[in-house]
Amino acid sequence: PDTGSILGTLLIVTGTGTRILVMSYWPIHRFSPPDPGKTLCILILGFVSLTVGIEIVFSSFFVSVRC
């Protein structure tokens, strides 16, 4: 198995999981205004993880394709 694909998929799952975590946090606290410091920190880390994971998957695919 390709290490880049596994690492990229792991980062994509982590990024998606953090987004789901933040979205599930809001109804648990009765739709009160969320704390921007905690919420934005988690969301930014999630989006960075998701973006880097997608980039790693694409780059490992293009590296594995040879002419």
Side-chain angles (χ1 to χ4, degrees):
D2 192 23
T3 308
S5 298
I6 294 171
L7 178 65
T9 304
L10 182 65
L11 285 171
I12 290 170
V13 168
T14 304
T16 305
T18 55
R19 291 173 56 202
I20 292 171
L21 176 73
V22 168
M23 294 305 288
S24 67
Y25 175 80
W26 193 39
I28 290 172
H29 293 284
R30 297 188 180 117
F31 299 103
S32 63
D35 181 23
K38 291 180 183 178
T39 305
L40 284 178
C41 181
I42 294 171
L43 272 178
I44 289 171
L45 289 174
F47 277 115
V48 168
S49 174
L50 184 68
T51 305
V52 170
I54 291 171
E55 291 292 328
I56 289 174
V57 168
F58 279 139
S59 65
S60 68
F61 171 72
F62 286 123
V63 166
S64 68
V65 174
R66 296 182 182 177
C67 296

